């Protein structure tokens, strides 16, 4: 039993080479509103950060302002990617003390940060690769994000795309590292195994993967952990691990209450989404049975659908959002189902492999 409670995902911080331009993409393509900023104007000489928000989702986009920084080294090694998955907790001190007592490596001890809007307590520990988890205790803070950030002077208001909250965050591991990583979450956080697939469920003609979904006590936080499995050709997980140069965040899944409208908006904003073969929809009716959506619209947009005993879910994936074939996003609408789309993996993989082949990496 933990002496601290994780309330939700607080935010994800990405290290990117040009935060100003990335912020524009998150606003104009993904529909996030810039709400807070820190940089030269706020007295930060080394680092600039933009906080982008849509409903309960917050991304912090950070770039270095000078050479020789930890952020710069991270970008050189990994390309643009997710550095930190932050959790909102009721007690940062307890979260940091317990996780480090159970073997997590500390990056920064609990510290109180404050400005005229109140105070917050933050601490950071390491997880897989160069990825970190920050604990954020923000009950006594009333500002727009965290102390040290100024309210963004916004020139244009984003058109929201209906993204509501972070459903799950997936980490790719090198071969053989999935089990130790899951054990880390069991031991350090006291999490449990929520769902899993192995290479028997999950192989195409060419490649496969194994995945275990780790969840916290109240199952609000779900973090699937993947590793490549042997196939005839290179697994997409292996492609990630090579281009990210180690383990890291493969995708962040964001929920919507109306996936058809969200996907239409994302498409018209220029977001590149994976395509789904027409044969997928021919099989879908037999596989799933009844569902509310018009199958022709799903087919036109490439939205995938899968069911379990509790209901169904709809999902679609973007192409990688930077030049390296690493981080991408998932859009998901759950209608009863809490699963992770096992029935879609084959169609999804075949689509990803088409892209992989174009990159010369299959
Ligand atoms: Fe996912």
């Amino acid at each position: 039993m933990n002496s601290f409670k994780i309330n939700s995902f607080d935010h994800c911080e990405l290290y990117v080479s040009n935060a100003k331009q990335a912020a524009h993409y998150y606003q104009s393509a993904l529909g996030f509103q810039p709400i807070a900023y820190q940089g030269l104007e706020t007295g930060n000489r080394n680092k600039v950060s933009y906080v982008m928000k849509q409903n309960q989702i917050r991304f912090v986009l950070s770039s270095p302002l000078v050479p020789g920084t930890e952020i710069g080294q991270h970008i050189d090694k990994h390309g643009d990617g997710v550095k930190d998955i932050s959790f909102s907790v009721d007690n940062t001190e307890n979260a940091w003390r317990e996780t480090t007592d159970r073997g997590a490596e500390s990056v920064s001890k609990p510290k109180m940060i404050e400005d005229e809007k109140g105070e917050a307590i933050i601490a950071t520990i390491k997880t897989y690769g160069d990825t970190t988890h920050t604990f954020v205790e923000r009950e006594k803070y009333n500002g727009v994000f965290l102390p040290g950030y100024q309210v963004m002077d916004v020139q244009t208001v984003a058109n929201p795309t209906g993204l509501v909250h972070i459903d799950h965050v997936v980490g790719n591991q090198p071969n053989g590292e999935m089990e130790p990583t899951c054990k880390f979450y069991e031991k350090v956080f006291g999490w449990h195994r929520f769902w899993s697939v192995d290479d028997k469920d999950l192989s195409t003609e060419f490649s496969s993967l194994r995945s275990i979904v780790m969840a916290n006590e109240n199952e609000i936080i779900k973090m699937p952990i993947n590793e490549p499995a042997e196939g005839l050709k290179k697994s997409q997980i292996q492609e990630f691990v090579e281009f990210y140069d180690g383990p890291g965040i493969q995708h962040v899944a964001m929920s919507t209450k109306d996936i058809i409208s969200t996907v239409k908006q994302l498409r018209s904003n220029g977001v590149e989404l994976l395509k789904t073969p027409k044969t997928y929809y021919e099989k879908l009716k037999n596989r799933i049975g009844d569902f509310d959506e018009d199958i022709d619209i799903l087919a036109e947009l490439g939205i995938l659908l899968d069911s379990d005993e509790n209901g169904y879910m709809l999902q679609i994936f973007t192409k990688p959002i930077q030049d390296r074939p690493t981080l991408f996003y998932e859009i998901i609408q759950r209608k009863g189902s809490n699963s992770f789309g096992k029935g879609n993996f084959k169609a999804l993989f075949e689509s990803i492999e088409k892209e992989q082949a174009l990159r010369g990496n299959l």
Side-chain angles (χ1 to χ4, degrees), residues 221-241:
I221 305 295
K222 294 193 196 79
M223 296 198 53
I225 308 294
N226 296 340
E227 71 177 5
E230 283 293 308
L232 278 178
K233 297 207 175 174
K234 186 182 286 182
S235 169
Q236 49 140 328
I237 310 305
Q238 186 58 31
E239 187 196 33
F240 174 99
V241 167

Side-chain angles (χ1 to χ4, degrees), residues 168 170 251 253 317 330 340:
H168 59 273
V170 181
H251 74 266
F317 298 83
E330 172 182 350
F340 284 79

Side-chain angles (χ1 to χ4, degrees), residues 167-170 224 250-253 315 317 328 330 332 334 340 345:
D167 186 273
H168 59 273
V169 178
V170 181
Q250 178 209 37
H251 74 266
V252 177
Q315 60 182 170
F317 298 83
F328 57 86
E330 172 182 350
I332 185 166
R334 293 192 182 278
F340 284 79
F345 274 82

